Amino acid sequence: MAVAIALALAGITALIAVSDAGVGSLWRHAYHVPVVVAALRWGGGGVLAALAAMLLYTPFVLPALERAGPSSSVLEALLTLGLLLGVGVSSGALVAGFRRQRARYEALVAIQRAVDGDAPLDIALVRLRACLEGRLGGLVGLAVRDGERVALAGAAVLVPGSPVARVLGSGAPLYVPDLGGGGGGSRPRRCFVAPLVGRGGITGALALERRGDIGAEERRALLALATHVGLALENARLAARQRRFAEELAEKVTAATRHVVEMDRMKSDFVAIASHELRTPLTALQGFSELLATRRFAPADLARVGAIMNAETERLGRIVADFLDLARLERGLAPPLRRTRVDAGAVVSDAVEVLRRARTTHALEVFCDSPLPPLDADPDALDRVVKNLVGNALKYSPAGSRVRVAARPHAAPLAVEITVEDEGPGIAEADLARVFEPYYRTPGGARVAAGAGLGLAVVKSLVDAHGGTIRAENVAPHGTRMTLILPALP
Amino acid sequence: MRALEQASAPPRPRLLEATPLAALAALAAAWGLAALILPSPAARGIGLAAAHGGLLGTALAWTAADGARERWAPLQAALVLGAATLLAHLVPGGVVAYLAVPAWVVWRRVEWRRDGAEHARAVLAGALFGLLLGLHLLVNASLTLGFHVRPGRPADLLAWFAYDLGANVLTAEAFFRAGLFARAHRRWPFAVAAALSTAASVTRYLVDPLLLHTPEILAGATFYLALLGVGNCWLLACHGSLAGPIAAGLLFFAAYRLLAR
C-alpha cells in the first residue's frame, strides 16, 4: 500500500510536470486521493502523505512565486498546499480517533471475555494480560490484591519500591518517562501505571511499559481502561463468590435434606422399637394383673408375681426416663442433676455388682485405684452412666467373654477416668463417631440386640452435663473400649 | 517486566550533566588565542577542529557510561580533527585524513549503532530519506534562486564526502541526535525532544560562517535542515542507531555540494 501511494504521488507530480498549465494544473487536486487513502489506511499516515505531496508540489509553486509573485494561480497553488495539509491532518485525526474508539470498545469486550468464566484469578489475569498486550502495543503487567497476597501477571514477584508497588501503596497513577536500560538512551523505556479501582478502593494496578512515547491522551485512555479492568475483575470476583456461595448452599441443603431423611427414618425405627420396648413390660404387667384379678395365689406365689411386676414397672420407668431425657436433649437442655460429693470408686463398684448378680454369663472384672479423687456429680446419673456402659458391653459381647471396668485418677487436669472394655466384635470405624447420636444403632448392633438407640445418647448428655468427655474406640485384637473422663474436686 | 520487578529507575542524568566544561573552555581559549595571533587560514582551521571536536567530544562524554572518564574527549577529538585539517591543507588528497575521525570513534567502541539487520535497516531508511531530501533540494534549488547542478570531479566529491563523514555530519549527528535528542527524549515526549534537537542543529548551521547569509539561503537552509533534523530524530528513535541519521546527512549534504550558482 505504501508503495502504491508513493507511486501515485510520483505519477501525479509527473502529470503536473508535463501539463501545460504548470503550477495551475488541475492534476494538483489529485494529490488529495493518496492523502485520503493513506489516512484511511494508517490514520496518522495521512499527515505524512500530505507532507510528501506538499514537498512534491513545492518545486512547482516556488519558481512560479519567484517569477510572477503572488498571482492568482500562485495563490491557488498555495491554497492547495494548505488544503493538502488540512485534509491530511483532519482525515488522519478522524480515522485515528475512530480507530481509537473502536479499539477501546473492542478492548472492553475482550476484557469482559478474559475475566469471564470460572477461571481462578491468576488464570484470568494471564488471559487479561495477553488480551491487553495485543492491543496496547507494549508490555503489560497486572497486580491485583487477593486477600493477603497480590496476584501478578507479567512478573514472578512484585518488588517493593517498583512503580507498580508504589501505585498500589499510593493509589495515584504514575508515569515514569525513563525506566533505564534504553540502549544508550536513544529509545527510552517508559511506563505508565494506572490504579485499578474497585468498590472497596484500590484493588490493583495496570502497568504499560514500552520503548516509545506514552502520550498524555493515551495515559488518560489507560486510566479509563484501568477503571474498566478494575470493575470487570471486581464483578468477576463477586460472580465467582456468588457461584461458590450458591454451590455451598446447595451442598448444605442437600446434606440437611439427607439428615432430615435419616432422622425421619431413625425416628420411624425408634417408634417401632419403642413400641416394642414399652409393649414387653406392659404385656407382662397386663398378664400378671389379669392373673391377680381372676385367680387366687398362695402368699409365696403372690410375692413372686409382685416382684416380677415391680421389676417390669422399674423397666418401664427407665424407658420413660430415657424418653424424657431425650426430649430434653433435643430441646438443647442439659439433664437435671443433683450434684454432691461422690466417691467414683464406690459408685462404679456398686453398679457393677448389681449387674454381676443379674448377668452371670460374663466375667466382670473391676479395677478401681484407691484413693480416687472425689467427683462433684449426681450419683444417680453416674450410676445410670456406668450401668448403661457395662450393660452395653454385656449385651454386645459373647457369653463367657470378659468385661473389664476400671477407674483411675488423672493428674492434669485433675479428673477420674472410667473405662469399660469388652471382647465383642467392636464397632466399625465409620460408626464410631455416630454411636452417641440419638436413635442411631450400628447395623451389627441392631442384629445382635434390641434397643431404641437412646442409651449412649443419654450417657453422652449426662457426661456433658458433668463437664466430662466420652469416647469410643476399638481395641486389639477385638473389642470396644468406652472411656469417660469426669472432672474431679481438688 | 521492570515496572514490577525493578525497585527504582536508575538516576536519570540532567540535561547538561557530564558536560566536559574544562575541555570545552580550553578549546574556546585555544580558538580565541589562534584568532588573535595566527593568520586567518590557520585560525579557521583551529576553529573548525575546536568546534567539531567540542561537539563530538561532548557527545562522547554525554553518552559514555561514566561521563567523568570522558572529560577530556573534546580535546582528543579536536586533536584528531586538527590533524586531519592540517593534512587536508598541506597534502594533496590529504582531506581523506578526515576518515580517521569515524575510525577513531569506532575504535572507542561507542554504542551509537545496532548490529545485524537492525543496522542495515537503519542505514537503508536513512539513505532513502537523505536521497529524497537531497533530490528535492536539487530540484527546488535548480528551479529557483538561480542555482544549478554542478557535476563534481570524483576527487572533489571524495574530498567533500570525507569532510562530511569525518567532521560535518558525524559531529552534528553525534551531538544533536545521539547526545542532545537522546537525553531530551529520556525525559520528554518525542515531539519536544525532536524540536529541541532540531532547533539546536538548525542554529548550529545558521551560525556556520561557511553558509551564505542571504535571506533566501537562510530560509531554504532552515527548511531543509529542520526536515533533516526531525527525520533523523525519527530514524534514531525508530532504529536506535546513529547509522541512519549519518547516512541521511551524508546523502543530503552530497546533494547540497552539487549545487552552484
Side-chain angles (χ1 to χ4, degrees):
Chain A
M1 180 60 85
V3 174
I5 286 171
L7 287 174
L9 288 170
I12 293 164
T13 307
L15 287 170
I16 294 172
V18 299
S19 163
D20 292 335
V23 70
S25 168
L26 291 176
W27 281 110
R28 69 183 189 275
H29 300 300
Y31 278 130
H32 289 98
V33 176
V35 168
V36 171
V37 170
L40 289 173
R41 179 71 179 81
W42 296 293
V47 181
L48 290 178
L51 287 173
M54 289 168 71
L55 281 174
L56 290 172
Y57 189 47
T58 308
F60 300 102
V61 181
L62 291 181
L65 180 64
E66 192 182 39
R67 271 197 315 272
S71 64
S72 61
S73 61
V74 169
L75 288 176
E76 281 178 14
L78 289 173
L79 185 64
T80 301
L81 287 175
L83 270 175
L84 278 172
L85 188 62
V87 168
V89 170
S90 56
S91 57
L94 277 172
V95 171
F98 167 74
R99 286 191 178 159
R100 265 198 302 276
Q101 284 297 333
R102 192 175 66 182
R104 198 168 293 168
Y105 290 127
E106 286 175 353
L108 294 183
V109 173
I111 287 168
Q112 287 297 339
R113 280 187 187 149
V115 300
D116 203 17
D118 293 334
L121 179 63
D122 296 87
I123 304 292
L125 285 186
V126 170
R127 281 192 205 153
L128 195 56
R129 176 172 175 259
C131 134
L132 289 176
E133 265 190 349
R135 291 163 198 282
L136 297 179
L139 294 174
V140 170
L142 284 155
V144 176
R145 286 201 179 104
D146 184 26
E148 291 298 310
R149 73 175 189 124
V150 177
L152 296 174
V157 289
L158 177 63
V159 175
S162 64
V164 170
R166 280 150 64 190
V167 170
L168 279 177
S170 68
L174 177 67
Y175 175 55
V176 184
D178 183 15
L179 283 167
S186 59
R187 292 194 297 176
R189 189 187 288 268
R190 308 193 199 280
C191 92
F192 179 68
V193 187
L196 302 180
V197 184
R199 289 173 181 81
I202 304 302
T203 57
L206 163 69
L208 172 65
E209 183 180 314
R210 75 157 76 112
R211 286 180 190 276
D213 288 350
I214 304 174
E217 191 185 345
E218 191 174 4
R219 296 203 291 271
R220 279 194 295 274
L222 278 171
L223 273 176
L225 190 69
T227 305
H228 286 294
V229 171
L231 288 175
L233 283 171
E234 187 81 0
N235 288 339
R237 193 179 298 179
L238 287 175
R241 193 180 298 169
Q242 205 168 358
R243 270 196 301 276
R244 274 201 305 275
F245 177 72
E247 285 166 6
E248 283 172 12
L249 196 62
E251 281 173 16
K252 282 180 181 169
V253 167
T254 306
T257 308
R258 199 181 305 126
H259 186 66
V260 166
V261 169
E262 177 78 357
M263 288 290 286
D264 189 51
R265 187 190 62 75
M266 286 195 297
K267 280 201 172 182
S268 299
D269 291 350
F270 167 74
V271 168
I273 293 165
S275 303
H276 177 74
E277 290 284 305
L278 289 172
R279 182 184 293 266
T280 306
L282 276 175
T283 305
L285 286 172
Q286 190 182 9
F288 282 113
S289 60
E290 279 178 10
L291 284 173
L292 285 174
T294 55
R295 291 187 187 179
R296 292 200 174 276
F297 288 94
D301 291 338
L302 199 59
R304 190 175 58 82
V305 169
I308 292 171
M309 289 179 71
N310 184 48
E312 292 302 325
T313 307
E314 280 182 0
R315 184 177 168 190
L316 201 57
R318 278 198 307 276
I319 293 171
V320 171
D322 279 354
F323 288 167
L324 289 173
D325 285 343
L326 183 70
R328 291 181 64 84
L329 190 67
E330 288 189 334
R331 291 205 306 274
L333 299 172
L337 298 177
R338 285 189 295 276
R339 287 172 180 266
T340 182
R341 193 181 179 87
V342 174
D343 179 1
V347 172
V348 169
S349 299
D350 292 349
V352 171
E353 195 50 41
V354 169
L355 291 169
R356 192 202 307 275
R357 281 202 296 271
R359 299 283 294 269
T360 55
T361 52
H362 291 71
L364 253 172
E365 298 173 357
V366 182
F367 303 94
C368 287
D369 285 6
S370 184
L372 284 172
L375 300 176
D376 177 28
D378 181 337
D380 291 338
L382 191 55
D383 178 69
R384 277 180 71 190
V385 167
V386 174
K387 281 181 176 167
N388 211 311
L389 293 178
V390 177
N392 275 351
L394 295 171
K395 203 156 56 172
Y396 294 109
S397 58
S401 64
R402 240 176 2 175
V403 173
R404 294 161 61 91
V405 184
R408 62 181 69 90
H410 247 215
L414 191 59
V416 173
E417 180 187 284
I418 300 170
T419 57
V420 178
E421 193 175 316
D422 64 42
E423 293 178 344
I427 300 170
E429 288 297 321
D431 295 327
L432 276 175
R434 300 193 63 189
V435 291
F436 297 106
E437 291 178 15
Y439 314 118
Y440 186 77
R441 305 207 65 214
T442 62
R447 282 195 301 274
V448 172
L454 296 177
L456 286 179
V458 171
V459 164
K460 185 168 186 336
S461 72
L462 290 171
V463 172
D464 288 345
H466 281 90
T469 59
I470 184 166
R471 67 174 189 274
E473 60 196 326
N474 288 319
V475 291
H478 53 81
T480 305
R481 181 192 296 137
M482 292 285 179
T483 305
L484 70 97
I485 297 174
L486 294 169
L489 288 170
Chain B
M1 191 176 171
R2 288 165 197 257
L4 289 144
E5 293 171 307
Q6 184 173 280
S8 58
R12 191 176 49 188
R14 292 189 301 276
L15 195 61
L16 300 179
E17 190 175 310
T19 302
L21 288 174
L24 291 176
L27 285 177
W31 189 0
L33 198 63
L36 284 176
I37 62 172
L38 292 178
S40 179
R44 260 206 310 273
I46 289 176
L48 184 148
H52 287 303
L55 290 175
L56 184 57
T58 303
L60 287 168
W62 279 2
T63 54
D66 181 8
R69 293 184 61 183
E70 297 285 357
R71 59 185 179 276
W72 301 114
L75 288 182
Q76 297 166 3
L79 280 175
V80 177
L81 278 155
T85 307
L86 194 64
L87 282 171
H89 278 89
L90 297 181
V91 182
V95 73
V96 294
Y98 278 114
L99 295 177
V101 182
W104 177 70
V105 170
V106 170
W107 172 72
R108 294 174 67 93
R109 300 179 184 279
V110 182
E111 292 182 0
W112 289 346
R113 48 165 285 177
R114 301 259 166 237
D115 295 326
E118 188 65 28
H119 177 71
R121 274 198 293 272
V123 172
L124 192 65
L128 192 64
F129 173 60
L131 187 67
L132 289 174
L133 204 60
L135 284 175
H136 194 270
L137 170 71
L138 286 180
V139 172
N140 232 0
S142 60
L143 290 173
T144 58
L145 307 177
F147 281 91
H148 64 274
V149 177
R150 170 192 59 185
R153 290 182 303 132
D156 290 341
L157 292 177
L158 179 65
W160 282 120
F161 175 77
Y163 171 73
D164 281 337
L165 178 58
N168 176 29
V169 172
L170 175 65
T171 59
E173 295 306 322
F175 179 77
F176 295 110
R177 250 57 77 181
L180 187 59
F181 168 74
R183 277 201 167 187
H185 199 200
R186 289 183 70 175
R187 58 185 62 233
W188 296 311
F190 172 82
V192 177
L196 177 69
S197 163
T198 303
S201 66
V202 169
T203 306
R204 170 253 177 272
Y205 281 107
L206 292 184
V207 299
D208 192 328
L210 296 175
L211 188 74
L212 289 174
H213 284 77
T214 60
E216 65 273 17
I217 296 289
L218 289 177
T222 302
F223 175 73
Y224 283 107
L225 290 170
L227 277 181
L228 182 70
V230 172
N232 281 351
C233 287
W234 180 253
L235 286 170
L236 183 60
C238 279
H239 299 286
S241 168
L242 200 61
I246 288 176
L250 282 175
L251 283 166
F252 173 76
F253 278 100
Y256 169 73
R257 307 291 181 202
L258 293 176
L259 286 175
R261 286 230 182 201

